[in-house]
Amino acid sequence: MNHLTRLAVLLALAVAGLLFVRTATSQVTVPLIGLVRDNNAVHWATLQPRLGSSSDCAGCHADVDLKWSRSAHAGQACESCHSAGDRHMAYGAILPPMSELCTTCHEKIIGRPSSFPTIVRADHYPLQDCLSCHDPHAPAAAFPKIPHNVKGREDCLACHGNGVAPLPPNHANRPVELCLGCHKPAEGSQQ
Amino acid sequence: MSGAMRRRAFLKLAGRVVIGSVVIYGAPSAVMARLNQPGEADAEAPPANYNPKSHEWVFIVDTAKCIGCGRCVRACKQENHVPMDPRFNRTWIERYVQIADSDDLEVDSPDAGIYGFTSPEVNRKYEGKEITKSFFVPKLCNQCEKPPCVQVCPVAATYKAADGVVLVNRDKCIGCRYCIQACPYGARYLDPDEHVADKCTWCYHRISRGLLPACVTVCPVGARKFGDLRDPESEVSKIVDKLRLYVLKEDLGTKPRVRYTQLDEGVR
């Protein structure tokens, strides 16, 4: 055999060896380059939740939970109105619900199912804060017993001037400070 | 003699070239390959027991219950660090209104519905008009069984996990927006901070821990329901058994996993 042929065979073997070693060690594969759909679902699964469970809230706020669990809002998550609780758990940030949140659910608007309890805010004591009459943690239980922190006739008229429980016509021009002479708050007529 | 010497010199040179090539080409890439290997998942991490192959999630929306309060949109943005800018949403609420003597349904979604639909500006355009039909439709990623967004991604950054949830590998995404164009439901947006595609994951970090997605948790009227079809006792399984369910744009053949009960035929 010609010595050049032998050299050529040796060189071919060496190149084959090189390719083999390179393939075995380098592991440059299609997934490494990134052209197959590799799954990083683990990354998504290990993110930390920000919203918790309402039973976690009830662990400390047992008094609210007691009212809430028997109210019309019982099916609701605390964070539905109070927003994500992670900052509260981490460093005690207070989570005040915004006052407009009542009407985002309970305002009568186009699109809202007619079976859902709604009001027209413009006709429903528009100057009063919702919370002055309603306790959102116990709406059904607390509604009939409205807190009456009233002093003078003006305070009474804020609700009873016109609206749900208006004054009878013959009460229209009574002097100031007279209501409490006959009526006890929330107990009706005392005559 | 001199030929043999030349041969030996050639072989020496060839050997050096071969060994040098192995060192130069092989070794660094071998090291890189080791470095690039995904790390072992932390055995103590909370979703350690989660096996995506044993779940088949389904999301059911009842449009007759939705009151359009926007709690779901707000909770989603908080939970998933979605920008508060109303252009970027993983979920949003649309309101469909039919005015008398009109064939078309009017659709509006002010600020994606995050502040509800109560402001007077939102409702002014319907003042004095006779409304024959009106309802809210919450929308989110449909996690299609045949997702067009996965099909078009040129770098294979988006994929369907074993439980059916379509996810994005943010390290791989190049922000080309093909998937955003391809989604027939408008469910994707480009994250303005990192310039990668983002979308609803059905709160993957919550469902893998046994929690509900944030929007389902906060919904005050139960218009959003989520569960596992593999569990025959789950609420969603019973709904799927009992009710006629609808999907959005059924004719596209994407086979959405978000199903709607009592969906009006005008919804698109």
Side-chain angles (χ1 to χ4, degrees):
Chain A
M1 197 190 274
N2 187 314
H3 70 277
L4 284 176
T5 317
R6 283 208 298 275
L7 271 178
V9 169
L10 274 174
L11 193 60
L13 283 173
V15 169
L18 168 69
L19 289 174
F20 176 77
V21 170
R22 192 169 185 279
T23 321
T25 55
S26 68
Q27 295 184 352
V28 175
T29 53
V30 174
L32 184 69
I33 299 166
L35 286 178
V36 292
R37 304 186 190 287
D38 71 339
N39 193 314
N40 77 335
V42 173
H43 161 75
W44 287 106
T46 46
L47 298 177
Q48 278 301 314
R50 290 192 63 197
L51 272 75
S53 152
S54 293
S55 55
D56 296 343
C57 307
C60 292
H61 301 281
D63 53 332
V64 177
D65 181 52
L66 194 64
K67 287 197 289 180
W68 170 81
S69 61
R70 289 177 292 188
S71 79
H73 281 161
Q76 313 242 3
C78 303
E79 287 162 323
S80 186
C81 292
H82 290 278
S83 81
D86 58 337
R87 292 181 303 124
H88 182 60
M89 300 300 283
Y91 50 88
I94 300 167
L95 306 171
M98 294 180 288
S99 56
E100 318 84 81
L101 281 183
C102 298
T103 50
T104 57
C105 287
H106 291 291
E107 176 79 44
K108 185 176 174 64
I109 55 164
I110 296 155
R112 197 152 277 172
S114 54
S115 56
F116 192 76
T118 53
I119 54 140
V120 177
R121 184 73 175 111
D123 303 339
H124 189 94
Y125 310 106
L127 301 177
Q128 295 280 329
D129 192 64
C130 303
L131 301 183
S132 61
C133 293
H134 301 275
D135 179 356
H137 292 127
F143 185 64
K145 204 170 165 60
I146 293 167
H148 277 80
N149 300 316
V150 291
K151 292 192 177 74
R153 184 177 163 86
E154 293 304 312
D155 288 344
C156 303
L157 290 179
C159 292
H160 297 290
N162 49 41
V164 173
L167 294 173
N170 63 345
H171 282 47
N173 295 312
R174 299 277 167 107
V176 174
E177 301 297 334
L178 205 64
C179 305
L180 293 176
C182 298
H183 302 278
K184 279 186 182 173
E187 287 182 12
S189 174
Q190 297 295 303
Q191 290 174 22
Chain B
M1 191 64 185
S2 67
M5 282 307 288
R6 264 190 276 126
R7 193 189 311 151
R8 186 166 298 162
F10 172 80
L11 282 175
K12 267 185 186 170
L13 184 64
R16 277 179 195 153
V17 168
V18 167
I19 291 165
S21 305
V22 169
V23 171
I24 289 165
Y25 290 106
S29 49
V31 171
M32 289 309 291
R34 298 282 183 281
L35 288 177
N36 282 339
Q37 267 175 1
E40 294 289 313
D42 185 2
E44 301 297 316
N49 299 325
Y50 180 68
N51 179 14
K53 287 180 182 154
S54 61
H55 297 282
E56 188 181 348
W57 301 117
V58 68
F59 200 113
I60 295 175
V61 179
D62 189 343
T63 54
K65 280 188 184 160
C66 180
I67 58 170
C69 66
R71 301 283 205 278
C72 46
V73 184
R74 194 160 64 103
C76 172
K77 293 213 179 208
Q78 289 183 334
E79 177 70 40
N80 297 297
H81 307 277
V82 176
M84 288 304 284
D85 188 322
R87 291 173 297 168
F88 309 116
N89 302 290
R90 288 185 176 196
T91 184
W92 66 99
I93 309 171
E94 293 172 358
R95 176 170 65 175
Y96 286 71
V97 178
Q98 184 157 45
I99 299 165
D101 305 327
S102 167
D103 291 338
D104 290 335
L105 287 163
E106 302 275 336
V107 188
D108 65 342
S109 184
D111 292 339
I114 188 167
Y115 306 115
F117 292 73
T118 49
S119 77
E121 298 84 56
V122 169
N123 292 294
R124 192 159 293 142
K125 59 179 174 251
Y126 296 125
E127 260 174 32
K129 291 188 176 160
E130 191 194 340
I131 290 167
T132 49
K133 186 163 64 179
S134 64
F135 53 91
F136 295 102
V137 181
K139 289 197 172 171
L140 67 161
C141 173
N142 282 290
Q143 319 290 359
C144 304
E145 278 177 53
K146 296 186 181 298
C149 54
V150 172
Q151 201 179 351
V152 300
C153 179
V155 292
T158 187
Y159 58 91
K160 203 169 74 173
D163 45 23
V165 180
V166 176
L167 297 171
V168 181
N169 186 337
R170 295 170 72 93
D171 295 333
K172 232 185 226 190
C173 176
I174 56 172
C176 72
R177 302 177 173 88
Y178 273 142
C179 55
I180 299 170
Q181 289 290 316
C183 175
Y185 306 104
R188 285 174 171 251
Y189 68 95
L190 197 76
D191 186 325
D193 301 322
E194 294 183 31
H195 296 283
V196 293
D198 195 54
K199 66 182 280 297
C200 166
T201 63
W202 279 357
C203 284
Y204 206 74
H205 57 297
R206 296 175 64 87
I207 60 175
S208 56
R209 286 168 166 84
L211 299 167
L212 289 168
C215 58
V216 180
T217 304
V218 299
C219 181
V221 290
R224 291 167 176 254
K225 297 187 191 305
F226 180 85
D228 190 356
L229 280 184
R230 301 274 176 91
D231 175 10
E233 293 303 311
S234 70
E235 189 185 5
V236 291
S237 293
K238 287 177 178 163
I239 293 172
V240 167
D241 286 347
K242 196 159 50 174
L243 296 180
R244 164 80 166 94
L245 297 170
Y246 301 84
V247 297
L248 297 174
K249 300 184 182 177
E250 189 175 12
D251 50 327
L252 295 180
T254 52
K255 302 201 172 172
R257 282 180 209 270
V258 176
R259 319 260 174 90
Y260 288 81
T261 59
Q262 314 186 53
L263 187 70
D264 189 90
E265 60 182 2
V267 177
R268 48 198 182 269

